[in-house]
Amino acid sequence: MSYPKNYRYTAEHEWVAAPENGRARIGITDYAQHALGDIVFVELPAAGAHLEAGQPLGTVESVKAVSEVFAPVSGTVTAVNTSLSAHPELINQDPHAGAWMVEVQLDDAAPLDKLMDATRYEAFIAEEQTGKA
Amino acid sequence: MPEITPENTPALAATHIQSDEPLLFEISSPGKRAWQLPPLDVPEADLELLLPAGTRDDIAGFPELSEIELVRHYTRLSTWNYAIDQGLYPLGSCTMKYNSRLNEVVARLEGLAEGHPLQPAAVMQGALRLMRRLEAALAEITGMDAVTLQPAAGAQGELTGILIIRACLAARGNPRAKILIPDSAHGTNPATAAIAGYRVENLRSDARGLVELSSLERLMDESVAALMLTNPNTLGLFEEDIHRIAELVHARGGLLYMDGANMNALVGRARPGDFGVDVMHLNLHKTFSTPHGGGGPGAGPVAVKSFLEPFLPVPRIVEGEAGGLRLETDRPASIGRVRAFFGNFGMFVRALAYILANGSDGLKQTTDDAVLNANYIRQQLEDSYALPYATPSLHECVFSDRLQARQGVHTGDIAKRLMDYGFHPYTVSFPLIVPGALMIEPTESESREELDRFIAAMRAIAREAETAPELVQAAPHRTRISRLDEAAAARQPVLRWQPKAQG
C-alpha cells in the first residue's frame, strides 16, 4: 500500500493528513496495522478532548497486543470516527483513509513540518524491517 | 532418534469417544441432584426472616445433574488439557517447571491443610513459623532485608512494591510523577505504574537487547520515582550494566524496582540485593515450583531493603515473648493490607518444601540446568530460526520468524503447528521489541531426550515452512479442534449461553 504524499508521519507510525482550515485527520499507517495484525478493539478520545503531541490519544488492540496511539500533533478533537468501534477491521482494510481515528483542530500547524514526509517515512520503515532480525 | 515427520506426528492428548462435550446446561434434566444433605440436627430457621427482601426462591434454568454426570463432564474436559505432567511446556516468561509431588505431600499434612486463618495466633504458631522461615529464605536468596508474603500473584506484588516506593518518597516529601520502564518489559509493569498514579516513560533497548544507558541518563531526573527493571530481561539477557543503572537511578533520588519474574535464572548465582535493587517481587508459581495458572493460585511475595521495611503491608509476623510469634498491625507507615489474611498460604508451604528439599546446592543447580537447557535449544535451533540478539542467553531464548515470514509463515502458525507434534506452544509475539517473536523457556525440569524431541519438531516445522508453507499456515491439523478464528472471537465474543429457541 502506498503512503499518501500529502500526509505527515511519525516514528510511532501515525499519520496526519494535510490540514484544511486548520483541521486534520489522524490515523495509523499501513505498516502499523500490518505489524499489529487483526485489530479487534479501538479506544478513542471524546470530541472536545485536548491532545498533547507525543502523549497517548487512545489504544488499539489486536490479536497479538494492546498498543497506544500517540498524538502526532497538539490540538482539540473535533470529530471521532465512531464506525471504528463496530468495525475495527477497517483499520486493517483501509488504514490511510476510511479508518481515520480523530479529526483535530491544530493548536499550531508549524510542528507538522517536523514530522516525516512520505519519502522519508518509507525509508524509515525499510530500515526498521532490515534493522531487526 | 527417529525423525518426526508430518506422517508420524504423534496425536495430542487422548480424547473421549465423543468429539465434543456439551455444556452442563445442555445435559441437564429436571429433578436430578449431585448432593444430599444430612438430616437437620438443629432447630429449623425461617429463611424469610434470615434473607434480605428480594431474594429469589429459585434460579430458573439452572442445570440439574447427578454426581457421576458432573464428575464425568469435568473429567472428560480435563483430558483435553495439556499440562507439564504430560510433556515440555516451553511457554517463555511463564517458567512452567515441574511441580514436585513432594510439595503436594507436604501441603496435605493435616496440621497445615486444615488450619484456619481466623485461629488465634497462639494456636497457629506452626503456620506463622513456616511463613517466617519462608520470608527468611527468600530474603537470603534475593539479598534483601525483609519480605511480605501477602500479594496474591506477580502483578499484585508489583503494585505492592510500587505503592511502597510511593509511600517512601511521599514520606521524604515528594512521591514524584514518573516511572521509567524498558520497552522489553512485561505489560503488567506499565499497568502497575499507571494504577499507582504514575506516568510511564519508555526506555529504549540498544543493539545488545539491553537498557540503553544514554537513554537512561537523559530521562533520569528528579521527577522519576523509580525504574522498573526485569533482570534478566524478557529477552533472557542479563542486564550487565546493572551496577551503573542502579547508580544512575540512586544518584537522582529514585528507587530501583526489579520484576522478579525471571529470578529462576539467578537463584544461587546472583542476588538482586547485591546489585542495587531496592524492591522486588518474586513469583512463587514460577521460580519456586508452586502450581501455575489453572493449577492453583499464585503468590507474589515482595522483598525490600531495610529502609523500606516500615512501609510493608500489615499484619507483620514478629517475634513475641517466650519464643512465640505474634501479629503486629500497629505500623503507622505501612501501606496497609493488600490481601485477605496472610496470602495464599498453601503456596508458601509448597515453596518452602521446594527450597528445603533442594537445599542451597540444589537450588544453584536448578538455575544452572535451566540456563544450560535454554542455551542447548538456542544452539540447536539457530540454523533454523533467526536470532535477533547475539548477547548470551540465560534461562530462555527468543527467536524471530523473519526467515519463515518470507514464505508467509508467522510465529503464530509455527506455534499452532507445534501442537500437531504434541507440544504446548512457546510464547508468541512477545517481547514486543522482537517482531514475530518465538520465546522459548524449557526450564530445568526437562531431560536431554525431551529437549531433543522438541528440537526435532521445531526443525521439521522450519523445513515445512520452506516446502509446504500452507500446511503450517492452516495448522493445527491433529488437535481435537482445528484453527479458530481469533479475530472473530475477539470482535464478536459470545459471552453467555442461550437456550435454543423452542420449536
Side-chain angles (χ1 to χ4, degrees), chain B residues 168-180:
Chain B
C168 166
L169 294 176
R172 288 178 187 172
N174 177 7
R176 303 190 171 193
K178 289 190 289 197
I179 288 192
L180 300 182

Side-chain angles (χ1 to χ4, degrees), chain B residues 102-399:
Chain B
L102 175 77
N103 299 353
E104 297 306 316
V105 171
V106 177
R108 282 165 177 72
L109 293 176
E110 198 187 355
L112 295 170
E114 305 287 317
H116 193 284
L118 288 177
Q119 286 171 232
V123 295
M124 59 158 126
Q125 288 290 307
L128 295 179
R129 185 62 66 192
L130 185 149
M131 288 189 274
R132 279 282 283 189
R133 184 135 188 216
L134 178 60
E135 285 180 5
L138 297 177
E140 190 184 334
I141 288 168
T142 54
M144 307 295 278
D145 301 316
V147 172
T148 174
L149 301 175
Q150 246 182 55
Q156 199 187 15
E158 285 177 35
L159 182 60
T160 303
I162 297 300
L163 290 175
I164 288 169
I165 289 176
R166 177 178 269 281
C168 166
L169 294 176
R172 288 178 187 172
N174 177 7
R176 303 190 171 193
K178 289 190 289 197
I179 288 192
L180 300 182
I181 300 179
D183 53 11
S184 60
H186 292 110
T188 45
N189 290 181
T192 293
I195 287 177
Y198 286 109
R199 217 167 72 228
V200 173
E201 242 173 82
N202 241 314
L203 207 51
R204 284 166 50 110
S205 300
D206 61 19
R208 301 172 299 167
L210 304 176
V211 166
E212 188 179 79
L213 279 181
S214 58
S215 164
L216 176 61
E217 275 166 16
R218 197 178 65 250
L219 293 173
M220 188 64 219
D221 60 26
E222 270 75 24
S223 70
V224 174
L227 165 63
M228 282 183 96
L229 191 71
T230 308
N231 194 18
N233 66 23
T234 58
L235 293 163
L237 311 178
F238 188 80
E239 293 286 353
E240 48 192 69
D241 301 318
I242 186 66
H243 285 288
R244 178 77 187 125
I245 290 170
E247 221 173 79
L248 284 169
V249 172
H250 290 148
R252 297 303 190 97
L255 300 186
L256 182 56
Y257 182 91
M258 188 178 111
D259 180 323
N262 296 338
M263 188 64 201
N264 59 313
L266 301 184
V267 173
R269 285 288 172 193
R271 306 197 313 165
D274 298 337
F275 56 66
V277 170
D278 300 300
V279 197
M280 66 176 294
H281 80 265
L282 293 160
N283 304 75
L284 298 187
H285 48 285
K286 295 184 180 182
T287 307
F288 297 97
S289 111
T290 72
H292 203 160
V302 170
V304 298
K305 289 284 174 61
S306 57
F307 72 97
L308 293 170
E309 189 173 3
F311 306 102
L312 287 174
V314 284
R316 298 286 300 152
I317 303 166
V318 296
E319 298 289 340
E321 291 135 33
L325 293 168
R326 62 182 182 84
L327 297 172
E328 191 175 85
T329 50
D330 183 23
R331 294 170 67 93
S334 165
I335 62 163
R337 184 184 271 290
V338 300
R339 174 73 168 73
F341 302 122
F342 305 99
N344 289 326
F345 179 75
M347 300 305 119
F348 308 156
V349 180
R350 289 169 174 86
L352 187 60
Y354 169 83
I355 291 170
L356 296 178
N358 275 288
S360 58
D361 54 339
L363 289 175
K364 188 182 285 185
Q365 192 179 341
T366 61
T367 302
D368 293 355
D369 288 351
V371 172
L372 179 65
N373 282 354
N375 280 281
Y376 181 64
I377 287 179
R378 171 174 159 153
Q379 195 272 333
Q380 293 287 312
L381 290 181
E382 66 187 359
D383 290 338
S384 308
Y385 296 91
L387 199 60
Y389 294 98
T391 310
S393 295
L394 287 185
H395 65 299
E396 60 197 353
C397 54
V398 179
F399 293 99

